[in-house]
């Protein structure tokens, strides 16, 4: 879907970001910045975490939404606003509208997590569920805007949104004036563009690195082409940065001011989320953990001091459970294995005895006896094990094979 404006929008300047910062006084929190000894050791330089996951509504999105809605004309406010989002932007628009006394309607996909729907309603928006994917939801929101006159609040493709998000950059410079590298996740690009405007105007020596998920990386091909291009079927667990096409306004800024855009794997994202939870005691959503994933993937590539922006913490508990298991598997701390054995009394006890000797903790066991691949006297057992790392996983596999078991996977 193309969101290009008919008329060119004004550029975003440092004065715009400073004006947004004044507007947000008493509305958005100046979120904490926490040092990370673990990441600092890996990178070989100080690493700080900018905790926008602790912002009101759980992400940076409130900043841009409030600035955008506060800048509407009286007649526009009277018509209300409409947005489309699977989560963070929805909550930002809902709270900003309530604070400003503006009626808001938010379209969300039918499959949106219930906690995010509930939070958006709690902040004061009327929620309408439409479509299975965000593109369908966006189309419904824009159709509603055309029919009712409500102002469509785009999640990233507007100068006011970018100026609001840029206030994060001013806070980073104030809290860590010695910073040399800022690492930030990129979806549509509003956050990275705003930070780049603010930081490069005041500290052009600071390197800004954007991060995208490998399965939803529209910026690298777009930057190579010199204009925004769409990618088909973006796929990643990091729904906060799962955007198929860069925004026109942020794209121009990022192309000019952001020094590099990197991509990270799903394994790196889940490992980063697990690290934030275990080491920093911070609940972070996959998109918010993407800068940490970049640091873990190539720690020697970043000049310190480094600030990694944790952009949000709104993660569905059921998704969190799956991601944590994925992250543990990526670190060799969770192993799923299928073993073929003789179906006779005591066979399972013998198998578990082998695992006990190598100190693998059994979390779950399931049997398969009716698969046509199995012989009459055979069974398959699927085991979910808690392990201590990749070397321990290899040790478990060796022990099973040496005991005469056929390991299927």
């Amino acid at each position: 879907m193309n969101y290009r404006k008919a008329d060119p929008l004004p550029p975003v300047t440092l004065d715009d970001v400073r004006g947004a910062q004044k507007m947000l006084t008493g509305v958005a929190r100046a979120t904490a910045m926490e040092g990370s000894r673990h990441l600092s050791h890996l990178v070989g330089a100080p690493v700080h975490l900018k905790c926008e996951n602790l912002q009101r509504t759980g992400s940076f999105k409130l900043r841009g939404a409030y600035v955008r809605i506060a800048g509407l004309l009286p007649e526009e406010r009277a018509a209300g606003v409409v947005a489309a989002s699977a989560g963070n932007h929805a909550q930002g628009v809902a709270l900003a509208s309530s604070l400003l006394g503006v009626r808001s309607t938010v379209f969300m996909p039918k499959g949106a997590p219930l906690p995010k729907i509930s939070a958006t309603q709690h902040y004061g928006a009327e929620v309408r569920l439409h479509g299975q994917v965000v593109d369908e939801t966006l189309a419904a929101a824009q159709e509603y805007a055309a029919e009712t006159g409500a102002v469509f609040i785009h999640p990233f493709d507007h100068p006011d949104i970018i100026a609001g998000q840029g206030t994060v950059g001013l806070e980073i410079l104030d809290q860590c004036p010695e910073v040399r590298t800022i690492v930030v996740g990129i979806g549509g690009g509003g956050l990275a563009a705003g930070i780049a405007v603010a930081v490069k105007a005041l500290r052009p020596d600071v390197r800004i690195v954007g991060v995208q998920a490998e399965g939803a990386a529209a910026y690298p091909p777009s930057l190579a082409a010199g204009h925004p291009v769409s990618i088909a079927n973006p796929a990643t667990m990091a729904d906060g940065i799962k955007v198929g096409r860069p925004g026109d306004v942020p794209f121009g800024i990022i192309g000019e001011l952001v020094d590099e855009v990197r991509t990270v794997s799903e394994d790196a994202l889940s490992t980063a989320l697990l690290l934030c939870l275990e080491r920093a005691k911070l609940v972070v959503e996959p998109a918010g953990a993407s800068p940490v994933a970049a640091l873990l993937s190539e720690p020697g590539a970043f000049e310190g001091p480094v600030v990694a922006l944790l952009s949000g913490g709104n993660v569905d508990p059921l998704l969190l459970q799956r991601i944590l298991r994925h992250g543990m598997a990526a670190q060799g701390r969770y192993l799923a294995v299928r073993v073929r054995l003789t179906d006779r009394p005591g066979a399972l006890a013998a198998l578990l005895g082998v695992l006990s000797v190598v100190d693998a903790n059994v979390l779950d066991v399931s049997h398969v006896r009716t698969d046509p691949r199995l012989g009459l006297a055979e069974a398959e057992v699927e085991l979910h094990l808690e392990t201590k790392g990749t070397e321990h996983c290899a040790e478990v596999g060796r022990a099973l094979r040496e005991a005469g078991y056929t390991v299927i996977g």
Side-chain angles (χ1 to χ4, degrees), residues 50-249:
K50 175 62 172 169
C51 300
E52 280 295 288
N53 59 310
L54 303 180
Q55 183 57 262
R56 296 178 71 178
T57 74
S59 86
F60 70 95
K61 289 287 191 177
L62 172 65
R63 297 173 184 262
Y66 187 90
V67 173
R68 173 76 174 101
I69 297 169
L72 296 178
L73 298 173
E75 57 270 25
E76 291 176 318
R77 291 197 191 192
V81 300
V82 60
S85 168
N88 289 345
H89 182 59
Q91 294 174 62
V93 168
L95 179 56
S97 300
S98 294
L99 293 173
L100 292 164
V102 176
R103 184 179 70 259
S104 63
T105 303
V106 175
F107 285 76
M108 303 182 76
K110 291 180 180 178
L114 290 177
K116 294 186 178 183
I117 295 172
S118 177
T120 304
Q121 293 171 328
H122 176 76
Y123 288 128
E126 176 191 349
V127 173
R128 299 191 179 192
L129 302 179
H130 184 92
Q132 300 298 329
V133 296
V134 175
D135 277 349
E136 295 173 353
T137 309
L138 283 165
Q142 291 191 312
E143 183 178 345
Y144 176 88
E147 291 174 352
T148 66
V151 179
F152 179 67
I153 307 298
H154 199 283
F156 49 81
D157 206 10
H158 193 280
D160 290 347
I161 296 286
I162 293 170
Q165 321 305 27
T167 59
V168 178
L170 296 180
E171 287 180 19
I172 289 173
L173 294 182
D174 182 59
Q175 294 169 316
C176 185
E178 69 277 16
V179 62
R180 296 293 301 169
T181 306
I182 297 173
V183 191
V184 54
I186 296 182
L191 177 61
I195 289 174
V197 167
V199 171
K200 289 294 189 178
L202 296 169
R203 287 281 307 281
D205 59 302
V206 173
R207 184 172 179 80
I208 299 177
V209 179
V211 183
Q212 293 205 289
E214 287 178 354
Y219 264 88
S222 296
L223 292 169
H227 58 83
V229 298
S230 299
I231 59 171
N233 303 317
T236 174
M237 68 175 75
D239 57 355
I241 54 175
K242 189 170 72 173
V243 178
R245 182 187 185 277
D248 294 311
V249 181

Side-chain angles (χ1 to χ4, degrees), residues 241-316:
I241 54 175
K242 189 170 72 173
V243 178
R245 182 187 185 277
D248 294 311
V249 181
F251 176 80
I253 297 170
I254 288 172
E256 180 181 354
L257 298 179
V258 171
D259 297 281
E260 180 185 5
V261 176
R262 290 173 167 257
T263 61
V264 293
S265 68
E266 298 296 285
D267 279 354
L269 285 168
S270 58
T271 300
L273 188 150
L274 184 60
L275 183 144
C276 289
L277 187 63
E278 287 190 321
R279 296 300 185 100
K281 316 305 178 189
L282 293 168
V283 176
V284 182
E285 62 190 271
S290 59
V292 175
L295 296 180
L296 294 176
S297 298
E298 195 175 353
F302 301 89
E303 180 185 359
V306 177
V307 172
L309 178 58
L310 309 182
S311 58
N314 293 318
V315 56
D316 177 50

Side-chain angles (χ1 to χ4, degrees), residues 325 334-341 343 346-356 360-369 379-386 400 405:
R325 180 169 289 186
Y334 179 87
L335 177 64
V337 61
R338 286 184 296 129
V339 178
R340 188 167 295 177
L341 45 72
D343 190 10
L348 179 60
L351 173 61
L352 296 180
V354 174
L355 296 173
S356 176
N361 185 33
V362 179
L363 301 175
D364 190 29
V365 180
S366 61
H367 286 80
V368 176
R369 289 187 172 91
E380 274 186 11
V381 176
E382 182 171 341
L383 301 155
H384 292 189
L385 308 173
E386 183 181 5
L400 290 171
Y405 292 102

